[in-house]
Amino acid sequence: MIDISDIKLSNAQIAWRAAQDIQDGAYVNLGIGFPEMVASYQPEGREVIFHTENGVLGFGAAPAPGEEDWDLINAGKKAITQKPGTSFFHHADSFAMVRGGHLDVAILGAYQIAQNGDLANWSTGKGGIPAVGGAMDLVQSAKRVAVVTDHITKKGDPKLVESCTMPLTGVGCVTRIYSSLAVVDIANNRFVLREKIPAISLDDLQALTGAELYTNEGVDDLICPEDLL
Amino acid sequence: MDITVATPREVIQQIPDGATVMIGGFGGSGAPIELVHALIDHGAKHLTVVNNNAGNGHVGLAALIEQGQVDKLICSFPRSADPTVFVEAYKANKIALEIVPQGTLAERIRCGGAGIPAFYTPTAYGTEVAEGKPVEEFEGRPYIRERWLKADYALIKGDVGDRHGNMTYRMAARNFNPIMATAAKVTIAQVSRVVDAGGIDPEHVVTPGIFVNHLVEIANPAQEEELNRAEAVYP
């Protein structure tokens, strides 16, 4: 199997690519950790309103160290700031925004994504203590659910699979995957390859993917800024 | 009417063994640390606690678990920067855990306070969380039935309160506090400042006083995050 360690996109590059698809005026929820990086790469001239499920819309960047106000945090329990246009609300309202279909985009991480759009990202199913947070609400009800992820696991197993073997977060919910090698849509229960990095061949990409990649609608080069590490 | 009391102790001491207690907050933000510590001092045991998380470090909810006072925790996300106390209690089978998706937890609490015994949600359909729950289709889409969640007591934290129990909150510290206030038989609130009736603009009231039974002023309340950075341990 080919070694992709030198050619795959960095997390910052994946986040940059995901950010390009977020339209001006969109209401967006970013998962804890890697997906939060998407906020750093909004194209100039677009105003995106970020939602954090603990009860803030339109928050600002992290404060300088020492200036944290611990009443003002995001879903990852990290300090954030308010800015003109920020609003606060309680948890039932926050999840009415989610469940009621008011969020335009949710971007999450993934353990596995199946070709029918099933997502597993909350429990490896190997014991340990389960923790779900707001993921099951977000994936079932945001207007568009996308995933940012490495294309394969650290062990080299595909994360894009025929059907998930890990416990599901939601069924048939993901419509686009931004991976370290490609941009893949899910349509009609199959993976449709939209873009791939030029450094990998179609055959090698298919070998690293656990279900068939459909390419008959044309595949573009996935080019990200080089200086994002 | 004046529902204010001078100290947490005088109202917390009515909480009996075996009570179900909702504790507000999301992580440390909006967590009523002083009320929880008064519950530790009081010593009620075999509690069922409803909180989004499972405590962090050795203060607040984590300390309540560490003291062996909690038999069962209903939460969405039992992880934190330092979840040691919960993890050890869970692995030793000293505490039961019911995992509820966060939005479902919020809506169960809201329904508990609003007199709605059950509701349908798309959240968790097709996952192991939905096992055994009734499924019904609405407009061609499957939903699962969830039940309300109510408590004997709610311990909540606000910013300003008046002697009727009208309350405001501070930024993201609002989170679960207003809905928990509605879902308990007895709601005990701590606020940073108590004012006379009229001291809060009625347009700014988030929790109307009808949902609050006891109000205690804790000026300069502790922040869980700051206590943990100082490696505080309670008691």
Side-chain angles (χ1 to χ4, degrees):
Chain A
M1 191 175 287
I2 106 159
D3 180 3
I4 59 164
S5 53
D6 289 337
I7 58 169
K8 70 172 189 168
L9 301 178
S10 67
N11 281 358
Q13 288 174 311
I14 299 169
W16 175 88
R17 178 62 190 84
Q20 307 313 303
D21 288 346
I22 300 175
Q23 301 306 309
D24 184 39
Y27 286 88
V28 178
N29 184 292
L30 302 175
I32 296 170
F34 172 20
E36 288 178 65
M37 292 176 77
V38 173
S40 304
Y41 301 110
Q42 292 312 302
E44 265 186 56
R46 294 187 206 172
E47 186 175 20
V48 172
I49 310 291
F50 290 103
H51 169 266
T52 186
E53 55 267 36
N54 53 310
V56 190
L57 265 177
F59 54 90
E67 310 219 334
E68 299 92 347
D69 182 328
W70 296 109
D71 281 344
L72 186 50
I73 60 174
N74 63 14
K77 320 263 170 26
K78 295 199 190 81
I80 52 174
T81 50
Q82 67 182 69
K83 61 182 189 181
T86 296
S87 60
F88 300 124
F89 36 88
H90 63 60
H91 250 77
D93 278 352
S94 183
F95 281 89
M97 295 172 193
V98 175
R99 220 185 295 101
H102 305 283
L103 276 184
D104 295 299
V105 187
I107 300 181
L108 300 94
Y111 295 144
Q112 292 178 320
I113 314 101
Q115 61 185 346
N116 65 351
D118 287 359
L119 173 68
N121 83 342
W122 74 288
S123 163
T124 58
K126 292 177 186 161
I129 297 173
V132 64
M136 286 188 181
D137 302 278
L138 286 160
V139 300
Q140 219 49 267
S141 298
K143 286 178 194 160
R144 184 164 84 80
V145 176
V147 157
V148 287
T149 181
D150 272 323
H151 201 83
I152 55 176
T153 67
K154 289 198 175 99
K155 284 184 183 168
D157 297 324
K159 294 183 110 181
L160 283 65
V161 296
E162 279 188 359
S163 62
C164 294
T165 54
M166 291 178 179
L168 294 184
T169 307
V171 296
C173 52
V174 177
T175 54
R176 177 162 272 204
I177 301 158
Y178 302 97
S179 87
S180 50
L181 301 175
V183 176
V184 177
D185 280 347
I186 291 170
N188 302 316
N189 296 316
R190 62 190 195 185
F191 290 130
V192 180
L193 181 63
R194 298 294 183 195
E195 301 172 17
K196 70 168 185 62
I197 59 169
I200 194 165
S201 72
L202 205 50
D203 285 348
D204 283 339
L205 182 64
Q206 180 63 69
L208 297 172
T209 307
E212 191 174 350
L213 289 168
Y214 281 78
T215 58
N216 41 0
E217 292 176 37
V219 180
D220 292 326
D221 282 342
L222 171 51
I223 311 273
C224 297
E226 293 281 332
D227 54 349
L228 300 177
L229 294 172
Chain B
M1 180 185 225
D2 187 354
I3 66 162
T4 59
V5 293
T7 64
R9 196 181 74 85
E10 60 197 272
V11 284
I12 291 290
Q13 65 185 6
Q14 65 183 288
I15 299 179
D17 288 0
T20 295
V21 183
M22 291 180 177
I23 299 177
F26 176 88
S29 171
I33 295 278
E34 285 78 6
L35 295 183
V36 175
H37 288 175
L39 182 55
I40 291 171
D41 297 345
H42 165 51
K45 290 187 171 42
H46 305 300
L47 302 172
T48 293
V49 168
V50 182
N51 182 268
N52 187 62
N53 303 98
N56 188 13
H58 300 271
V59 297
L61 175 56
L64 187 69
I65 294 168
E66 195 161 33
Q67 294 301 310
Q69 293 174 251
V70 184
D71 282 3
K72 181 180 179 184
L73 185 65
I74 300 174
C75 80
S76 85
F77 201 78
R79 286 183 200 153
S80 65
D82 176 10
T84 318
V85 167
F86 173 77
V87 169
E88 286 182 1
Y90 182 77
K91 289 189 170 164
N93 287 320
K94 289 180 178 163
I95 191 165
L97 174 66
E98 179 181 342
I99 286 286
V100 183
Q102 200 172 329
T104 299
L105 182 64
E107 191 62 13
R108 288 179 65 190
I109 295 166
R110 193 195 73 78
C111 285
I116 308 285
F119 61 96
Y120 284 88
T121 176
T123 300
Y125 170 76
T127 75
E128 61 188 54
V129 171
E131 281 171 18
K133 291 173 182 165
V135 175
E136 195 168 332
E137 265 190 26
F138 297 89
E139 299 181 7
R141 190 178 172 197
Y143 294 78
I144 63 169
R145 193 169 82 201
E146 291 280 358
R147 299 174 77 93
W148 60 7
L149 190 55
K150 297 185 284 186
D152 301 307
Y153 292 88
L155 308 184
I156 66 165
K157 179 183 184 180
D159 186 25
V160 181
D162 71 20
R163 63 180 173 80
H164 291 174
N166 296 309
M167 288 173 60
T168 68
Y169 298 87
R170 199 167 168 271
M171 304 193 285
R174 184 179 305 197
N175 56 62
F176 281 93
N177 287 295
I179 54 174
M180 286 182 171
T182 71
K185 288 178 199 148
V186 177
T187 292
I188 301 170
Q190 68 172 75
V191 290
S192 301
R193 191 159 58 92
V194 171
V195 296
D196 198 0
I200 302 173
D201 183 335
E203 297 280 11
H204 297 166
V205 171
V206 176
T207 291
I210 192 170
F211 296 123
V212 183
N213 300 89
H214 305 289
L215 189 71
V216 59
E217 182 177 278
I218 307 285
N220 305 310
Q223 281 282 10
E224 186 179 277
E225 184 71 30
E226 283 165 7
L227 292 176
N228 282 328
R229 281 169 187 239
E231 298 182 7
V233 175
Y234 194 86

